Amino acid sequence: MSVKHTTEKALQMLRTLPRVTIGNIRDNPQSKQNSKRGRGQHGGDKHGAGNKGSGQRQNYMRLGYETGNTPFYLRFGYEPYYKGHHLKREYPPISLHQLQKLIDTDRLSTRAPIDLTTICNTGLFEIRPDLLHHGVQLTDEGVDDFRAKINIEVQHAPESVIAAIERNGGVIRTAYYDPHSLYAVVNPKKWFEKGVPIPRRMLPPQDAVEYYTDARNRGYLADPDQISQERLVLAQKYGYALPKIEDDPDYAMLTEAKDPRQIFFGLNPGWVISLKDRAIIKEKQ
């Protein structure tokens, strides 16, 4: 009888009590303990500042100071490997896989030459001359999946990338831009709004002349006849039939190139572009 009475009492209680919800449940009494203690219960704690000295007074030592010892940067000599590292030219990478994706998503068009300005106008790549960026280098990631026929100008490209582009009937060219010209190339709108003439591209420095005059690198200062010969040599090396550009319907686009002193297609150095008036102010001959 007591069991039945207890069951009926429990059921009666459930009928009268509200349903269990987030709003009416709570932890068991004394299940949570406050981790903080009163101020007078620290027992002489240093509050994380250490024991005496400049550390407890938060008088921190300067960077590189070794409490009287000869510092590391004076103990060991300067490594020749790092000599002039803060002056070396940087070339942020862009892979063939990324280039193919830009073409497939219509951010780049294969009906016009692709250069550094076109790549920066996609809004996905940032070239900062103040950080010694001198352009982009085309890497071979996705070399087996690249299928576009393009005319592209970059600042550095390995042999495998050159073969991948020429295998599809395209043309690649490596060109140098001096820092002053790069400011206009990476952001033409900002340069035109200043109302200053288009700068003339300077020739590469002494340590880069050899690269940009070599036909194997498709340098923009190389002999065109040697480039044609190297195109055939590369096709034989990688085992593909070299397409004839002369018979291509896009021959005019594929052979379009800038003058060594020119930084924009169709715009000569010294011209002033007025975006407000939509006019081109040319220099007098």
Side-chain angles (χ1 to χ4, degrees), residues 128-144:
R128 295 187 56 181
D130 58 319
L131 297 181
L132 299 182
H133 292 178
H134 281 69
V136 295
Q137 57 171 322
L138 204 55
T139 61
D140 57 0
E141 182 182 359
V143 64
D144 297 328

Side-chain angles (χ1 to χ4, degrees), residues 248-263:
D248 197 290
D250 299 328
Y251 175 76
M253 184 275 295
L254 293 174
T255 56
E256 187 175 357
K258 301 176 185 176
D259 185 80
R261 296 290 191 175
Q262 191 178 13
I263 65 174

Side-chain angles (χ1 to χ4, degrees), residues 149 168-170 243-254:
K149 181 178 65 175
N168 298 327
K244 291 186 178 181
I245 302 180
E246 295 80 4
D247 301 336
D248 197 290
D250 299 328
Y251 175 76
M253 184 275 295
L254 293 174

Side-chain angles (χ1 to χ4, degrees), residues 49-204:
N51 187 34
K52 296 184 179 180
S54 60
Q56 191 177 22
R57 294 166 178 81
Q58 298 185 4
N59 181 23
Y60 301 112
M61 295 176 290
R62 61 175 174 81
L63 190 64
Y65 183 65
E66 299 183 13
T67 63
N69 298 330
T70 305
F72 178 85
Y73 64 89
L74 293 179
R75 249 192 339 262
F76 299 96
Y78 193 74
E79 290 289 343
Y81 174 79
Y82 297 106
K83 184 177 181 180
H85 71 282
H86 61 291
L87 301 175
K88 292 182 179 180
R89 294 182 292 272
E90 299 286 341
Y91 298 97
I94 172 175
S95 65
L96 287 176
H97 176 73
Q98 292 175 309
L99 188 63
Q100 184 67 56
K101 181 183 286 188
L102 292 175
I103 294 173
D104 295 340
T105 55
D106 293 333
R107 288 183 178 268
L108 289 177
S109 175
T110 59
R111 299 183 179 179
I114 301 173
D115 60 351
L116 188 59
T117 303
T118 313
I119 295 175
C120 291
N121 285 341
T122 61
L124 301 178
F125 299 93
E126 184 182 17
I127 301 299
R128 295 187 56 181
D130 58 319
L131 297 181
L132 299 182
H133 292 178
H134 281 69
V136 295
Q137 57 171 322
L138 204 55
T139 61
D140 57 0
E141 182 182 359
V143 64
D144 297 328
D145 301 327
F146 190 74
R147 295 292 181 267
K149 181 178 65 175
I150 57 175
N151 178 7
I152 187 170
E153 178 190 85
V154 293
Q155 282 59 61
H156 191 277
E159 186 181 76
S160 57
V161 171
I162 296 175
I165 292 178
E166 294 180 350
R167 178 186 59 197
N168 298 327
V171 175
I172 184 173
R173 189 174 295 102
T174 57
Y176 170 81
Y177 288 96
D178 60 283
H180 182 61
S181 300
L182 274 174
Y183 282 101
V185 170
V186 299
N187 196 344
K189 181 180 179 182
K190 183 178 180 180
W191 185 271
F192 296 156
E193 288 176 346
K194 293 193 297 184
V196 295
I198 298 175
R200 185 177 65 168
R201 177 164 43 166
M202 298 290 102
L203 294 176

